[in-house]
Amino acid sequence: MDEIKEFLVLDEEEGDRLDVYLSSQLGDMSRSYIQKIIKDKKVSVNGKTEKAKYLVKEDDKIIIEIPAPKLLEVLPQDIPIDIVYEDSDVMIVNKPQNMVVHPAPGNYEGTLVNAILYHCKDNLSSINGVIRPGIVHRIDKDTSGLLMIAKNNNAHNSLAEQLKDHSITREYEFICHGVVKEDKITVDKPIGRNPKDRLKMAVVKDGKRAVTHFEVVARYENFTHMKARLETGRTHQIRVHALSINHPLLGDPVYGPKNNKFKVEGQTLHAKKIGFIHPTTKEYIEFDSELPKYFKNIINKLK
């Protein structure tokens, strides 16, 4: 059943935004989740629905209907997964290339979610619904590397807020076409849907701000091994920003050259490092992963 909660705004709380007010009253819920509930018209102020930016007034009667967690309907599957770390709140998984993170309509099997459902049983956050239990963020099918999994809703809210605040350490490594001259490059260019191809992202004037910090690891003939640290987390951010400086990722089927001499299927992009404040202990923890075999093989050939 949905949970109903009522609040009466006090004099000293007057002037707060509705979403800010509710997040202060409901400490275990992220502001972004509260905004979603408001958008879904599950919040009323004096009997009327209002937007998140509504400024509350003294004696406003606010009622919020908190949706009950949906039952998980995606089937668990006994698929081997590389678990780097696990406790009662979070799990860090090293996802292989060619594995989809979560199911989508018409494709409900063989994903990372199917695997973690088998491993964790019911111990996963339900905030992202039926087909994405525990999933706080995602990486593309062809991108390998570290992912955070939330095992309860409190952990999910904490990690989601850190992602929103851009305070999580996320470092990737990749191989790109061409020899990058500068040792370090910061790309600060907005990203949005490509107006000419809605299946692609692109640098566009009215896009969302996106910042990527690039650093050269090693230079080879016609290729460069790079690091990328994400300051923001837009869809395809590294791939689009690398293309914007004329160094598309090796093997990228969307933004790179159609042919590559290594016959790579999918971009050579690995989420190598992740660090965050633990939801319960409040201590910073960080994890690093080895480059996968396919990536090392290409570097050996380049050498």
Side-chain angles (χ1 to χ4, degrees):
M1 286 179 61
D2 292 352
E3 184 181 2
I4 308 292
K5 291 196 174 187
E6 294 186 18
F7 301 99
L8 190 67
V9 178
L10 304 176
D11 174 36
E12 61 265 26
E13 296 163 332
E14 183 168 300
D16 283 350
R17 281 174 53 118
L18 179 58
D19 56 344
V20 173
Y21 171 81
L22 284 172
S23 63
S24 69
Q25 300 297 320
L26 301 161
D28 60 343
M29 279 190 198
S30 70
R31 189 168 152 195
S32 56
Y33 185 52
I34 288 168
Q35 287 170 343
K36 182 180 183 301
I37 295 174
I38 293 171
K39 193 175 180 181
D40 292 343
K41 301 190 184 303
K42 301 281 188 181
V43 175
S44 68
V45 181
N46 304 324
K48 290 169 54 184
T49 58
E50 299 284 357
K51 293 187 176 178
K53 64 182 180 182
Y54 169 81
L55 302 180
V56 301
K57 302 179 186 69
E58 185 182 1
D59 293 332
D60 273 352
K61 184 181 180 183
I62 299 173
I63 299 174
I64 180 168
E65 187 180 336
I66 303 167
K70 292 182 180 179
L71 292 173
L72 304 179
E73 297 169 355
V74 178
L75 293 177
Q77 288 181 289
D78 186 4
I79 302 168
I81 46 174
D82 180 7
I83 298 169
V84 176
Y85 173 84
E86 184 177 13
D87 62 26
S88 58
D89 291 305
V90 295
M91 183 163 72
I92 307 299
V93 174
N94 192 13
K95 184 188 85 69
Q97 195 181 40
N98 294 321
M99 179 182 247
V100 175
V101 170
H102 60 77
N107 176 31
Y108 290 99
E109 295 186 348
T111 73
L112 180 62
V113 161
N114 296 105
I116 63 173
L117 276 173
Y118 182 88
H119 177 81
C120 297
K121 308 297 188 279
D122 293 330
N123 298 318
L124 289 168
S125 81
S126 59
I127 284 174
N128 264 338
V130 172
I131 63 174
R132 292 190 289 174
I135 302 300
V136 186
H137 65 128
R138 56 181 289 277
I139 54 179
D140 297 322
K141 175 188 173 186
D142 291 330
T143 300
S144 56
L146 300 178
L147 268 177
M148 304 179 295
I149 308 295
K151 296 180 74 176
N152 55 63
N153 287 359
N154 285 341
H156 191 123
N157 283 325
S158 172
L159 297 174
E161 283 294 329
Q162 291 180 62
L163 280 168
K164 190 176 178 182
D165 293 341
H166 311 311
S167 60
I168 287 181
T169 301
R170 284 182 291 169
E171 286 188 7
Y172 291 70
E173 292 195 18
F174 63 92
I175 298 168
C176 65
H177 288 268
V179 179
V180 179
K181 293 178 182 177
E182 302 92 336
D183 289 340
K184 295 182 178 181
I185 307 170
T186 291
V187 179
D188 185 345
K189 297 177 181 177
I191 290 176
R193 288 284 166 194
N194 187 327
K196 295 179 182 177
D197 185 345
R198 302 299 291 175
L199 296 177
K200 291 183 180 181
M201 307 303 286
V203 170
V204 291
K205 284 184 180 179
D206 59 348
K208 291 182 178 178
R209 187 173 185 234
V211 183
T212 312
H213 304 282
F214 293 113
E215 183 179 342
V216 170
V217 177
R219 296 178 177 92
Y220 304 101
E221 187 179 348
N222 301 322
F223 294 94
T224 307
H225 178 186
M226 300 279 285
K227 272 185 192 176
R229 181 171 62 82
L230 290 180
E231 190 170 315
T232 56
R234 309 302 175 203
T235 302
H236 297 175
Q237 180 173 315
I238 292 172
R239 298 161 68 188
V240 171
H241 273 174
L243 177 64
S244 78
I245 57 172
N246 300 314
H247 293 288
L249 271 59
L250 172 63
D252 193 327
V254 179
Y255 305 104
K258 290 188 177 179
N259 299 315
N260 66 80
K261 67 179 182 179
F262 296 103
K263 308 296 182 190
V264 180
E265 293 184 13
Q267 63 274 2
T268 47
L269 179 61
H270 179 70
K272 194 170 189 299
K273 185 184 290 185
I274 198 155
F276 53 91
I277 302 294
H278 190 280
T280 299
T281 68
K282 306 303 178 187
E283 293 181 358
Y284 178 78
I285 53 175
E286 188 174 276
F287 303 92
D288 204 335
S289 62
E290 274 193 46
L291 291 172
K293 190 176 178 181
Y294 81 90
F295 201 117
K296 288 180 178 176
N297 287 343
I298 294 169
I299 289 174
N300 289 334
K301 288 176 184 175
L302 290 170
K303 286 179 179 177

